[in-house]
């Protein structure tokens, strides 16, 4: 998951997602009313494996492997605050959001021009249409490059082109994203 996807996930949640594997397993158990059988079905492992992961007995406890840790993380993210996430997504799609980033950004112009791509810190309001496009891309499994194209087009229109009043026909460069945060009101 890239910086943009992480930023979208952080913006949709009001509380941080459990960070450790043990905390994530406890969340999954609580979400399934303590049923290790249901958690095992969700994770695609045996019930006994889940019991070994969560047992309190010192000698019987086992840790999940790297592949299982990724499956656990995905299962938690899919179940974390579903109603709040849906409300915040709907609000972003209706009202827009503020995008905060530090990245290489500018026109794909000749070297030395004032708008040549350079590392900039950007804070810019983007419309609900951009939010709808980003969420649709995320939901279809689009990767970071496709999301960068969507944001570059929107940032170029709002930031450089002054909502279409100047700099027509210039290509926008938006690369090397250091961080990407989204503020949904």
């Amino acid at each position: 998951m890239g910086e943009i996807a992480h930023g979208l996930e952080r913006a949709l949640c009001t509380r941080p997602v459990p960070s450790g594997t043990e905390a994530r397993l406890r969340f999954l158990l609580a979400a399934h009313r303590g049923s290790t059988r249901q958690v095992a079905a969700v994770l695609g492992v045996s019930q006994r494996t889940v019991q070994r992961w969560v047992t309190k007995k010192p000698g019987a406890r086992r840790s999940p492997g790297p592949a299982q840790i990724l499956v656990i993380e995905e299962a938690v993210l899919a179940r974390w605050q579903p109603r709040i996430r849906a409300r915040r997504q709907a609000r972003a799609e209706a009202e827009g959001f503020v995008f905060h980033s530090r990245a290489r950004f500018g026109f794909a112009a000749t070297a030395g021009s004032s708008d040549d791509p350079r590392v900039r810190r950007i804070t810019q309001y983007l419309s609900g249409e951009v939010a709808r496009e980003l969420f649709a891309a995320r939901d279809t499994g689009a990767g970071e490059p496709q999301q960068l194209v969507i944001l570059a087009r929107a940032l170029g229109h709002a930031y450089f082109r002054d909502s279409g009043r100047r700099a027509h026909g210039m290509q926008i460069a938006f690369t090397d994203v250091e961080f990407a945060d989204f503020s949904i009101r």
Side-chain angles (χ1 to χ4, degrees), residues 16-28 53-54 61 64 68-70 72-74 76-77 80:
V17 179
S19 59
T21 304
E22 288 182 38
R24 289 177 176 159
L25 285 169
R26 282 194 305 270
F27 168 75
L28 287 174
W53 290 343
V54 298
R61 187 177 189 95
Q68 288 91 12
I69 289 175
L70 290 175
I72 292 168
E73 180 180 4
E74 290 173 7
V76 169
L77 286 175
W80 187 252

Side-chain angles (χ1 to χ4, degrees), residues 42-157:
V42 166
L43 299 177
V45 296
S46 71
Q47 180 180 3
R48 185 68 187 122
T49 300
V50 173
Q51 290 170 345
R52 283 190 204 108
W53 290 343
V54 298
T55 187
K56 301 289 184 197
K57 295 179 184 175
R61 187 177 189 95
R62 300 288 183 263
S63 298
Q68 288 91 12
I69 289 175
L70 290 175
V71 172
I72 292 168
E73 180 180 4
E74 290 173 7
V76 169
L77 286 175
R79 289 162 180 77
W80 187 252
Q81 296 185 323
R83 290 182 296 209
I84 292 172
R85 292 165 56 90
R87 274 195 308 257
R88 290 179 67 93
Q89 180 174 338
R91 181 176 233 163
E93 290 175 351
E95 300 173 6
F97 59 90
V98 177
F99 178 65
H100 311 276
S101 181
R102 181 171 164 85
R104 186 168 300 282
F105 181 60
F107 286 127
T110 58
S113 77
S114 64
D115 294 329
D116 190 36
R118 64 178 183 266
V119 175
R120 301 173 193 246
R121 184 176 173 95
I122 300 165
T123 298
Q124 181 67 46
Y125 167 79
L126 297 174
S127 69
E129 183 179 317
V130 176
R132 282 189 294 278
E133 199 173 346
L134 270 176
F135 287 123
R138 181 200 64 181
D139 293 342
T140 59
E144 187 89 359
Q146 291 89 351
Q147 293 172 342
L148 280 173
V149 168
I150 294 167
L151 285 171
R153 187 173 55 244
L155 285 171
H157 182 72

Side-chain angles (χ1 to χ4, degrees), residues 164-181:
R165 290 189 280 269
R166 60 186 171 100
H168 303 286
M170 300 289 284
Q171 294 293 350
I172 301 297
F174 184 59
T175 58
D176 304 334
V177 177
E178 292 179 18
F179 72 89
D181 285 325

